[in-house]
Amino acid sequence: MSTSSRAPAPAEPSGDQLAEGAAGEPPSGERPLRADARRNRERVIEAATEAFAVEGLAVAMDDIARRAGVGVGTIYRQFPTKETLYVAIIRRGLDQVTARARALAAAEDPGSAFFDFLRELLETVAAKRELVEALASAGTDLKSMAPATEAEWHEAVGALVERAQQAGAVRPDVQVPQVLALLGGTCGAVMHAHLEGDARAQLAAVVCDGLRCPPAT
Amino acid sequence: MSTSSRAPAPAEPSGDQLAEGAAGEPPSGERPLRADARRNRERVIEAATEAFAVEGLAVAMDDIARRAGVGVGTIYRQFPTKETLYVAIIRRGLDQVTARARALAAAEDPGSAFFDFLRELLETVAAKRELVEALASAGTDLKSMAPATEAEWHEAVGALVERAQQAGAVRPDVQVPQVLALLGGTCGAVMHAHLEGDARAQLAAVVCDGLRCPPAT
DNA sequence: TGACAAACGGAACGACAGTTCCGTATGGTG
DNA sequence: CACCATACGGAACTGTCGTTCCGTTTGTCA
């Protein structure tokens, strides 16, 4: 050993590059990225999304590159690590549902807004089951890889839940963290059990009923 | 996925080792295993359980061997594959909860039997969070790796649920598969969100209420 | 107690897959 | 239309692991 240790060092977590520069959509705050680069970035994300869905998280970077019609080097210029690549994809997806949550938070009926959100989320996840399953298996800690995305998600759901509680549509004794956990768990249930159509709706109904205010008592 | 068990010269699978001999508890139907072998088998399972919990599913077999105080070869004599090793551990755990379900199925009050089971399950899973999380990340298809174990689990829970429904303690419109899914999802929620103590109980309450018959209406 | 099958240990083997490197191509600009 | 920073491709490099092999040790049985 000793000697030239110029090895693929495990990509140390070193501090703040994770904070924002590692894997946002485009390089939000930086110099504007050449045209071909931007095009390729998009292609890579697209290809990776499909590859992860079809082959699982374990697809080789070479495969992703081939699907995208680029060289591996091109991927690594935008995503310094395989992890940053799938975190970027996770972000994208999470941002979408967060946006939906925010939109619903402005609805007139806070109660149905929340429950609709839950049902929609289940549908969305079921529709992309393979991909979500793959990404979930990463075991990535979003809180450290994409703090902002994570925070916004929590915040958006929190708002939805609290409004629903104030309107008396959701029992007041549940905390937002529990709801978040339940959302995740229910998504997991739908995916792993391959619940389709009615079965899925039924499960949603059970969870919704549990969350709803106990009518009397 | 993972673990591409690709041998240089695959030769022949020589028999359906998956079917039954691969990873049961002791070699249930075969010749009686020498004393040291039985001892080592136990040590290996013990060590692997701890290793998976502490280091995750990705621990090297060499690590497990070291922890167990044996050579890798010894592991491979009992568990032809890494996968068969953790499937054995999964089986063991699942058999335990199945046994508990069966015990509760004989209780006087079918309703509280079922709900107690759910709560207990959540406690158990929370107590072994690290291990369960690791094993869950395997993405192993139990139905094909341990059909009997899987079937018995379904059957035991099914019985519990159906009795509770007949007693009017669980809403009659949910199917057993949904309950199984919900059980799994709730465990996942508790683990991923690190819900502790009260938060866990609260979540359990929500799920139980959802499953309970809507009092009136 | 002697003999033999069963079991052991652990070095060695192979293969895979993430990451790096560098010569070449190209978009953008003055 | 040059010029060059930026980007590209993809072969090559490496560390890591699962798995195998085989000489040695040990339990068991007559």
Side-chain angles (χ1 to χ4, degrees), chain A residues 7 33-34 40 70-74 77:
Chain A
L33 215 53
R34 228 169 67 177
N40 281 333
V70 304
V72 255
T74 298
R77 205 158 310 102

Side-chain angles (χ1 to χ4, degrees), chain A:
Chain A
M1 26 211 95
S2 69
T3 69
S4 66
S5 62
R6 154 220 306 176
E12 46 179 287
S14 81
D16 45 43
Q17 78 223 88
L18 292 180
E20 193 271 354
E25 302 301 301
S28 30
E30 288 306 309
R31 61 190 60 116
L33 215 53
R34 228 169 67 177
D36 52 349
R38 188 158 51 252
R39 185 167 47 248
N40 281 333
R41 180 189 179 86
E42 213 44 43
R43 277 191 196 167
V44 167
I45 293 201
E46 223 61 55
T49 300
E50 190 186 308
F52 287 143
V54 176
E55 317 272 1
L57 242 212
V59 251
M61 291 297 268
D62 293 33
D63 275 350
I64 297 177
R66 198 171 313 125
R67 281 173 189 266
V70 304
V72 255
T74 298
I75 300 185
Y76 279 94
R77 205 158 310 102
Q78 303 266 356
F79 306 97
T81 273
K82 192 183 189 181
E83 188 176 30
T84 56
L85 174 55
Y86 57 70
V87 167
I89 297 179
I90 293 175
R91 273 200 195 182
R92 192 192 242 192
L94 198 49
D95 282 345
Q96 276 170 20
V97 297
T98 297
R100 184 61 186 142
R102 283 186 173 143
L104 281 169
E108 345 67 65
D109 180 351
S112 57
F114 172 76
F115 292 114
D116 284 350
F117 176 70
L118 195 163
R119 278 183 287 259
E120 278 183 28
L121 181 63
L122 255 34
E123 295 302 309
T124 304
V125 158
K128 307 188 179 177
R129 210 193 81 232
E130 328 257 39
L131 177 66
V132 178
E133 217 156 6
L135 295 175
S137 79
T140 303
D141 180 22
L142 264 197
K143 192 120 62 193
S144 70
M145 287 297 290
T149 303
E150 163 102 349
E152 284 166 27
W153 159 245
H154 283 200
E155 183 192 308
V157 172
L160 215 43
V161 172
E162 278 157 11
R163 279 193 66 217
Q165 285 179 315
Q166 277 157 22
V170 165
R171 53 201 285 177
D173 61 330
V174 282
Q175 310 289 315
V176 173
Q178 271 105 310
V179 176
L180 248 10
L182 201 51
L183 247 35
T186 311
C187 288
V190 164
M191 290 194 302
H192 287 296
H194 293 49
L195 298 185
E196 292 302 332
D198 274 3
R200 193 158 64 227
Q202 191 111 90
L203 184 74
V206 171
V207 174
C208 287
D209 286 350
L211 246 15
R212 217 182 301 277
C213 272
T217 303

Side-chain angles (χ1 to χ4, degrees), chain B residues 114-146:
Chain B
F114 172 76
F115 292 116
D116 284 350
F117 177 70
L118 195 162
R119 277 183 288 260
E120 278 183 28
L121 181 65
L122 254 34
E123 293 303 309
T124 304
V125 157
K128 307 188 179 178
R129 209 193 82 233
E130 327 255 41
L131 176 66
V132 178
E133 216 156 5
L135 295 175
S137 79
T140 303
D141 178 24
L142 265 197
K143 192 121 57 193
S144 71
M145 286 298 289

